[in-house]
Amino acid sequence: MHPFPLISQSPSSFVVKKKMVGLFRLVSGCPGPSGFGSASTAQEVTEGIDGTNLTALVTGGASGIGLETSRVLALRGVHVIIGARNMKAANEAKNKIVRENPRARIDVLELDLCSTNSIRSFADNFIALHLPLNILINNAGIMFCPFQLSQDGLEVQFATNHIGHFLLTNLLLDTMKNTVKATGIQGRVVNLSSIAHNYCYKKGIRFHKINDKQGYSEKRAYGQSKLANILHANELSRRLQVKLEKELLKFFSFFLWKNVPQGAATTCYVALHPRLNGVTGKYFADCNEMRPSSYARNESLARELWEFSNKLISSVSVP
């Protein structure tokens, strides 16, 4: 986990001080204001939390950070739905969790975030189950891919990491709102981002060259998609508050340079911890609130991305 707060237009000495504190916390595992730090694990940050009345959807929940997130949520009593492209791996993940925890409630559904048709089918199948949805964890992602286009003709990292989750969230938002109304429990949407959101293209998002091979950088394209994850959640938070629908909450986390139990800690913390009731539109690292890049805090860029994403989806698929 990269711990450095990202501070713009600040005195350099202040930035250096913050970076030194962040480096110390990373190396030592020293906890931050939340009481947790880089060495905390997902089990530790959710200790004592009862999630038996909650249902969560975890994209990419069959491996890595997503699998650990699914396992720990199930350990806390949450009914977990794993959305995964590889159904064999998803069922193996389910069986592994249930062997460890026979009381775990785990279901799996096929989901390919690189395909808008698959995303729509997944949403239809989930809604048909008539399940509540308290927590949506947009976890799945790909990284540093050579240039290629998705089935819908979109640059594959942007398609999978941002557009897929943007569409999925929009399709399931009414289900989350209905769950809030029926249960009185606030919903949470967790978008996983990365410190790599700082390393993006000039001006943040290549709106007019999103699918162009010329000038493509696999690392900047990844950073662009991770910036989009934060901007998406910021704009969704703003829109819900404008509509006085504050029951849906947004949180942001990133993970780098950690083992799997530590990597899933921030995700599980923001998904379950009661301390964050009422918190929205924030960016978390090591289970503590951090300040993202200036691009990530740009409201105009967030609004432009929202409209661009809607138009892009409309151009590649028919509802």
Side-chain angles (χ1 to χ4, degrees):
M1 176 81 71
H2 194 302
F4 300 164
L6 308 173
I7 303 171
S8 62
Q9 298 181 343
S10 299
S12 58
S13 60
F14 182 65
V15 175
V16 170
K17 181 180 179 181
K18 286 290 186 179
K19 287 187 176 182
M20 291 178 67
V21 170
L23 182 59
F24 173 76
R25 284 182 180 171
L26 173 64
V27 174
S28 67
C30 180
S34 70
F36 304 113
S38 63
S40 301
T41 67
Q43 281 193 215
E44 290 171 348
V45 303
T46 59
E47 185 67 36
I49 296 177
D50 181 6
T52 52
N53 59 344
L54 302 174
T55 299
L57 166 59
V58 183
T59 69
S63 62
I65 301 295
L67 174 56
E68 178 67 1
T69 298
S70 299
R71 184 190 73 83
V72 172
L73 292 183
L75 186 64
R76 302 307 175 212
V78 178
H79 181 187
V80 178
I81 312 298
I82 293 176
R85 181 174 56 183
N86 186 331
M87 290 299 287
K88 181 176 182 294
N91 280 298
E92 289 174 352
K94 173 184 175 179
N95 293 336
K96 179 180 180 181
I97 293 172
V98 172
R99 281 196 301 271
E100 177 187 317
N101 175 17
R103 292 180 294 180
R105 296 179 293 161
I106 304 283
D107 287 298
V108 299
L109 288 174
E110 186 173 5
L111 171 64
D112 183 356
L113 286 163
C114 200
S115 164
T116 55
N117 286 337
S118 175
I119 296 165
R120 293 185 186 280
S121 294
F122 173 89
D124 289 342
N125 291 334
F126 178 83
I127 292 170
L129 295 175
H130 301 292
L131 291 172
L133 182 58
N134 306 96
I135 305 167
L136 172 59
I137 300 179
N138 291 321
N139 163 83
I142 56 177
M143 182 169 65
F144 302 161
C145 301
F147 180 82
Q148 58 181 302
L149 298 179
S150 70
Q151 297 177 30
D152 299 309
L154 305 178
E155 189 276 307
V156 70
Q157 293 192 86
F158 191 76
T160 303
N161 297 350
H162 167 61
I163 291 295
H165 285 128
F166 178 87
L167 176 58
L168 179 66
T169 302
N170 284 353
L171 292 174
L172 296 179
L173 207 53
D174 283 344
T175 299
M176 296 197 76
K177 292 177 184 178
N178 291 337
T179 299
V180 171
K181 292 175 183 176
T183 65
I185 301 172
Q186 290 181 318
R188 300 189 181 188
V189 178
V190 182
N191 275 9
L192 270 72
S193 184
S194 167
I195 192 67
H197 78 270
N198 287 275
Y199 189 73
C200 55
Y201 292 111
K202 186 178 180 180
K203 298 183 179 179
I205 309 288
R206 293 207 312 174
F207 289 112
H208 302 297
K209 298 181 178 180
I210 203 71
N211 300 323
D212 287 2
K213 186 174 183 179
Q214 184 176 4
Y216 176 81
S217 162
E218 59 190 38
K219 292 182 175 61
R220 291 192 185 277
Y222 176 70
Q224 171 181 251
S225 70
K226 295 290 97 181
L227 172 62
N229 290 150
I230 300 177
L231 292 171
H232 164 219
N234 282 348
E235 181 63 9
L236 180 55
S237 178
R238 185 190 70 82
R239 286 171 181 254
L240 290 173
Q241 291 188 71
V242 168
K243 293 181 179 179
L244 301 179
E245 296 172 336
K246 297 183 181 180
E247 67 271 16
L248 288 179
L249 312 180
K250 311 293 133 356
F251 304 96
F252 322 106
S253 58
F254 60 77
F255 52 89
L256 284 177
W257 310 333
K258 286 189 173 187
N259 62 34
V260 170
Q262 293 170 342
T266 302
T267 304
C268 291
Y269 175 74
V270 299
L272 285 185
H273 209 288
R275 184 180 296 147
L276 299 182
N277 287 340
V279 176
T280 185
K282 301 299 181 182
Y283 180 77
F284 283 80
D286 296 336
C287 302
N288 289 278
E289 184 180 337
M290 295 288 185
R291 194 182 192 193
S293 71
S294 58
Y295 281 142
R297 304 193 307 271
N298 189 317
E299 293 185 5
S300 296
L301 187 61
R303 287 193 291 270
E304 185 176 2
L305 176 65
W306 185 281
E307 298 302 329
F308 176 78
S309 300
N310 274 327
K311 290 178 181 177
L312 205 58
I313 289 170
S314 297
S315 71
V316 299
S317 62
V318 178

